[in-house]
């Protein structure tokens, strides 16, 4: 039995107004780039206070998990402090060692904190509050999309150029936001799965527009992962075995035809960067060739894996390269001592969501988690806060909302029959 029904049976309360304000602040902090300017120490203290507050008010097993996030974040940050050197923090700054620990600790902590919010909202939030939170996330994401599109009109490589600082819009998104939008595709498919016919059409249009944004943002891997998640959704969420067989049979055909489709896209796309990367992927799929960008990435992944096997227990103090993939670099940086706790947080988060949604409805969420894992294996997502709010909060909360709506409808129909 899913956690949703247990909550509905035992809880009719709403989240306190002050807590709702904190949740709204969290959404702004995670999604809006302009909130990066807020004092880090102040933010960190506020979140720790909230965590202590919420641990006392959650079911025991979820309170334990929230505490586990805190402890393992500290262990991982300690591993980085002891076993690695850093060039991202100037050694001459005051409280250098403390800042090193807090920097990595907060990074890991904020990666998984949205899951704490998700469980708290499901456990104590009303249906209206859940719907309000989902709408707020959607509006904030749309706002940043609009800001980013405006910036892209001024400078086509605005989302790709990490050194670009002359932004007209301080809330224009970068790579972290673009990958959150890539995860939005399987998230929208959750709505497509549960929605009625007229809403399915609207959802399909939004998905199409989302792909348009990803093309303009020039992140080829984000586009590819969105396509993979779309195909995965069709396969795992369908109850019709014939559709699954058709998808399975068509996959080899898609693989054969995909290079030709990619070449066609590369010829039509105005952006040179996207055209180049799409062509490289097409070359790789058709001839096994790797262009400069794709070849460089594959080389980095290979060097990262080799570095891990050279020192698998405690990692490497210093690497002269960036592995460009969070789920790989953590192993090369801090070995199994830091990697195992980090992987535990990832997959235990998945397990908590599975418990809340139930086995059947988790299938609809699974493509979101799959795309998330693939992103972590191919991209540096450890600082991608918008991505974590989509994966750990928005996507599973949408499933909860649709299921509660179905339950409400069943109750209304049942009461109507009893009256008749």
């Amino acid at each position: 039995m899913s956690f949703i029904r247990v909550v509905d049976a035992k809880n009719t309360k709403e989240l306190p107004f002050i807590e709702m304000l904190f949740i709204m602040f969290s959404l702004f902090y995670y999604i809006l780039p302009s909130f990066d300017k807020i004092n880090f120490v102040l933010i960190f203290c506020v979140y720790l206070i909230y965590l202590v507050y919420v641990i006392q008010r959650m079911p025991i097993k979820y309170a334990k998990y929230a505490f586990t996030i805190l402890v393992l974040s500290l262990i991982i940050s300690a591993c980085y402090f002891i076993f690695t050197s850093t060039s991202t923090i100037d050694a001459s700054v005051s409280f250098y060692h403390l800042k090193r620990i807090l920097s990595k600790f907060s990074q890991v902590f904020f990666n998984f904190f949205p899951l704490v919010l998700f469980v708290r909202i499901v456990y104590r939030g009303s249906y209206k509050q859940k719907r309000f939170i989902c709408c707020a996330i959607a509006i904030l994401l749309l706002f940043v999309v609009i800001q980013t599109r405006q910036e892209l009109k001024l400078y086509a490589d605005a989302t790709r150029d990490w050194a670009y600082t002359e932004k007209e819009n301080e809330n224009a998104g970068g790579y972290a936001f673009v990958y959150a939008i890539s995860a939005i595709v399987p998230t929208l498919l959750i709505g497509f799965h549960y929605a009625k016919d007229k809403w399915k059409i609207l959802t399909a249009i939004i998905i199409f527009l989302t792909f348009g944004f990803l093309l303009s943002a020039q992140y080829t891997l984000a586009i590819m992962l969105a396509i993979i998640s779309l195909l995965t959704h069709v396969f795992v969420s369908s109850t019709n075995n014939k559709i699954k067989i058709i998808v399975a049979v068509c996959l080899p055909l898609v693989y054969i035809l995909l290079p030709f489709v990619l070449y066609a896209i590369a010829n039509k796309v105005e952006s040179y960067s996207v055209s180049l990367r799409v062509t490289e992927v097409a070359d790789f799929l058709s001839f096994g060739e790797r262009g400069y960008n794709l070849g460089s990435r594959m080389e980095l992944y290979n060097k990262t894996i080799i570095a891990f096997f050279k020192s698998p227990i405690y990692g490497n103090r210093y690497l002269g390269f960036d592995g460009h993939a969070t789920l790989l670099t953590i192993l090369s940086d801090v070995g199994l001592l830091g990697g195992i706790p980090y992987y535990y947080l990832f997959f235990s988060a998945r397990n908590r969501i599975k418990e809340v949604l139930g086995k059947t409805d988790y299938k609809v969420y699974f493509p979101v988690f799959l795309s998330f894992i693939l992103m972590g294996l191919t991209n540096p997502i450890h600082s991608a806060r918008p991505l974590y709010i989509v994966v750990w909060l928005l996507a599973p909360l949408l499933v909860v909302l649709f299921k509660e709506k179905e339950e409400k409808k069943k109750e209304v129909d049942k009461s109507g029959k009893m009256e008749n």
Side-chain angles (χ1 to χ4, degrees):
M1 183 172 63
S2 79
F3 183 65
I4 301 170
R5 291 185 179 180
V6 176
V7 171
D8 287 343
K10 294 183 177 181
N11 174 49
T12 56
K13 297 181 180 179
E14 293 186 345
L15 288 166
F17 177 72
I18 294 179
E19 189 170 358
M20 280 295 291
L21 287 180
F22 172 81
I23 291 170
M24 287 304 300
F25 170 80
S26 294
L27 301 185
F28 278 79
Y29 178 67
Y30 270 82
I31 297 172
L32 297 185
S34 60
F35 270 60
D36 285 335
K37 298 177 181 178
I38 298 177
N39 184 276
F40 159 73
V41 176
L42 176 63
I43 290 284
F44 189 62
C45 291
V46 169
Y47 273 87
L48 284 181
I49 291 170
Y50 177 78
L51 188 69
V52 172
Y53 163 82
V54 84
I55 282 175
Q56 300 174 21
R57 290 161 175 80
M58 293 172 72
I60 280 291
K61 63 178 178 179
Y62 294 107
K64 286 181 179 178
Y65 179 70
F67 183 71
T68 300
I69 291 175
L70 188 67
V71 173
L72 292 186
S73 296
L74 184 60
I75 290 173
I76 294 166
S77 65
C79 287
Y80 270 93
F81 180 77
I82 295 168
F83 301 126
T84 70
S85 300
T86 181
S87 58
T88 57
I89 299 177
D90 188 350
S92 64
V93 300
S94 57
F95 305 107
Y96 168 70
H97 296 299
L98 179 61
K99 286 181 179 179
R100 276 195 62 196
I101 293 177
L102 286 180
S103 175
K104 184 56 67 174
F105 174 73
S106 63
Q107 192 177 79
V108 178
F109 175 76
F110 282 120
N111 283 177
F112 298 96
F113 183 80
L115 188 72
V116 176
L117 289 180
F118 167 67
V119 174
R120 175 64 179 169
I121 291 165
V122 170
Y123 181 69
R124 280 296 177 188
S126 67
Y127 176 80
K128 288 183 179 180
Q129 287 177 327
K130 293 168 190 169
R131 187 171 59 183
F132 176 80
I133 290 167
C134 283
C135 290
I137 296 173
I139 290 169
L140 289 172
L141 290 172
L142 179 59
F143 172 74
V144 180
V145 165
I146 293 170
Q147 299 298 306
T148 307
R149 277 197 171 278
Q150 290 177 358
E151 197 64 34
L152 288 169
K153 290 178 182 178
L154 300 173
Y155 179 44
D157 291 328
T159 57
R160 293 199 59 83
D161 190 347
W162 288 32
Y164 176 61
T165 57
E166 298 177 3
K167 290 184 177 181
E168 293 289 334
N169 302 301
E170 63 178 3
N171 278 311
Y175 93 94
F177 181 76
V178 173
Y179 277 96
I181 297 302
S182 179
I184 281 292
V185 172
T187 302
L188 286 168
L189 288 167
I190 292 173
F192 185 86
H193 176 82
Y194 290 107
K196 302 303 179 183
D197 292 341
K198 62 179 181 179
W199 293 109
K200 284 184 185 294
I201 296 171
L202 178 61
T203 306
I205 292 171
I206 297 173
I207 291 172
F208 178 78
L209 293 174
T210 301
F211 273 106
F213 173 79
L214 292 175
L215 278 170
S216 65
Q218 305 183 38
Y219 277 81
T220 311
L221 267 175
I223 298 168
M224 299 299 293
L225 292 175
I227 293 172
I228 291 170
S229 65
L230 193 153
L231 294 174
T232 304
H233 174 87
V234 173
F235 185 81
V236 301
S237 65
S238 176
T239 55
N240 191 327
N241 289 330
K242 291 181 179 179
I243 293 178
K244 291 186 177 182
I245 293 171
I246 291 171
V247 172
V249 171
C250 287
L251 280 177
L253 185 62
V254 169
Y255 182 82
I256 294 169
L257 295 177
L258 187 58
F260 300 100
V261 176
L262 293 176
Y263 284 130
I265 292 173
N267 291 330
K268 295 292 184 182
V269 172
E270 294 181 3
S271 168
Y272 172 76
S273 298
V274 172
S275 178
L276 175 63
R277 287 168 177 79
V278 171
T279 300
E280 287 184 353
V281 174
D283 288 342
F284 178 71
L285 292 175
S286 55
F287 307 114
E289 297 180 0
R290 296 181 296 189
Y292 172 75
N293 291 287
L294 183 60
S296 298
R297 271 186 176 256
M298 298 297 283
E299 184 179 345
L300 284 174
Y301 301 154
N302 186 51
K303 288 170 70 175
T304 304
I305 293 170
I306 291 172
F308 164 66
F309 281 108
K310 282 183 178 179
S311 181
I313 305 301
Y314 53 83
N316 301 270
R317 179 157 293 278
Y318 178 76
L319 295 173
F321 62 91
D322 183 355
H324 218 66
T326 294
L327 293 182
L328 296 180
T329 55
I330 191 164
L331 292 173
S332 62
D333 287 340
V334 288
L336 294 174
L337 287 177
I340 289 176
Y342 196 75
Y343 273 88
Y344 173 81
L345 286 174
F346 256 87
F347 289 98
S348 60
R350 186 275 311 269
N351 292 339
R352 299 292 82 76
I353 288 175
K354 193 172 183 178
E355 287 175 3
V356 172
L357 301 184
K359 186 177 180 180
T360 301
D361 295 300
Y362 172 76
K363 290 180 180 179
V364 186
Y365 170 80
F366 173 74
V368 180
F369 181 74
L370 176 64
S371 68
F372 187 43
I373 291 296
L374 294 176
M375 286 179 201
L377 290 170
T378 55
N379 286 278
I381 61 169
H382 44 275
S383 298
R385 288 201 305 265
L387 174 62
Y388 288 90
I389 210 76
V390 170
V391 173
W392 296 142
L393 179 56
L394 176 61
L397 191 57
L398 271 178
V399 179
V400 171
L401 268 178
F402 280 110
K403 292 304 296 179
E404 286 191 5
K405 187 175 181 181
E406 287 183 4
E407 292 292 329
K408 286 177 179 291
K409 186 177 179 181
K410 287 179 182 178
E411 289 178 6
V412 171
D413 292 343
K414 186 177 180 181
S415 61
K417 289 179 180 179
M418 290 178 66
E419 289 177 3
N420 291 333

